[in-house]
Amino acid sequence: MTETTDAAAPVWLSIPEGYAELPLENIPETIETTSKLVDELGPPEQRRAATFVLRSLNAFLTALAERNAIYCGLGRHQSALNGQVITSTLVVTVLDFPGERNPRLVLRDLLVGKAEAAEQGQADILDLPHGPAAFFEHTLLLPAPPIPGQHVLAEGAEAPVWQLEAFVPSPAGDRLVTFELSTPFAAHGPQYRAMVVAMAGRLSFEPPADADPLAALLG
């Protein structure tokens, strides 16, 4: 697990192995540098797809940054079902609320909002070491845009995307951290459940003892 935190919205996360972090700052500059590297070093099929993929990635990361995302990672793992390599995205966002509130009421309102929006899925609330957390699992049908150099899809084609969201309020109910894991390998999605629950359970709204400069002095 990789430990990470965010200075602007301090929470402490444990990111599983297999995820490569994507930038949420200086996005245009990073995309431009990557584009130049692909043009110079990439094989022909990568160069053909680079413009479309990098343009889409730029829009995706910019939208995440505007949504208060503090982490975005692209993962590659080996499926326990058949050994194939499967990919996923992991996004972590932080929202702050005015005043304090019972964290269970925060989760109740969140799940009621999903029901009112007619979002269909499996909702559960679990008690973790630091308090309650809500989980929402569903499969979405999302547009499957054609990628240059690959098989041409029919207009309006859609593909299933498995998604698991974890919502973790702070003990005071004034902050909400959301983990959102998505994979286009929908049949393999349930393998990620334990990982997402573990991430939610390891989340901390306070610095761990070994991150506290006084901890070493106090023993």
Side-chain angles (χ1 to χ4, degrees):
M1 306 291 282
T2 301
E3 300 289 334
T4 185
T5 185
D6 181 78
V11 294
W12 283 260
L13 312 170
S14 292
I15 303 299
E17 297 296 332
Y19 281 94
E21 186 172 4
L22 300 178
L24 292 170
E25 296 180 350
N26 304 319
I27 297 170
E29 294 85 349
T30 304
I31 294 295
E32 182 179 358
T33 300
T34 304
S35 178
K36 291 179 179 178
L37 288 174
V38 173
D39 285 342
E40 294 175 4
L41 305 175
E45 60 273 14
Q46 286 188 359
R47 292 199 299 269
R48 286 194 296 269
T51 299
F52 171 83
V53 172
L54 293 177
R55 186 186 300 123
S56 300
L57 186 61
N58 183 39
F60 173 66
L61 294 174
T62 300
L64 290 181
E66 293 172 350
R67 288 175 45 196
N68 298 314
I70 63 169
Y71 178 86
C72 177
L74 179 63
R76 285 171 55 87
H77 299 91
Q78 189 174 36
S79 172
L81 296 180
N82 58 9
Q84 77 176 103
V85 174
I86 57 178
T87 60
S88 63
T89 56
L90 174 63
V91 177
V92 185
T93 60
V94 178
L95 294 177
D96 287 307
F97 306 113
E100 297 186 359
R101 196 170 181 228
N102 187 317
R104 293 188 182 275
L105 295 180
V106 174
L107 297 178
R108 181 202 64 182
D109 290 350
L110 189 151
L111 295 179
V112 167
K114 284 187 170 292
E116 293 177 343
E119 293 189 40
Q120 297 182 357
Q122 175 64 41
D124 295 285
I125 293 182
L126 299 180
D127 286 315
L128 301 178
H130 48 63
F135 297 85
F136 190 76
E137 178 181 334
H138 55 161
T139 299
L140 308 171
L141 284 177
L142 299 179
I147 298 177
Q150 296 190 7
H151 177 70
V152 178
L153 300 174
E155 184 176 353
E158 295 181 322
V161 174
W162 183 91
Q163 186 176 85
L164 179 58
E165 298 169 285
F167 304 95
V168 186
S170 64
D174 58 349
R175 172 165 287 181
L176 180 69
V177 177
T178 300
F179 298 86
E180 183 181 286
L181 188 144
S182 305
T183 177
F185 296 85
H188 300 260
Q191 296 178 74
Y192 289 101
R193 289 172 182 155
M195 187 184 77
V196 174
V197 172
M199 280 192 292
R202 292 189 178 102
L203 170 71
S204 177
F205 294 93
E206 300 292 338
D210 58 2
D212 184 349
L214 293 178
L217 298 177
L218 300 177

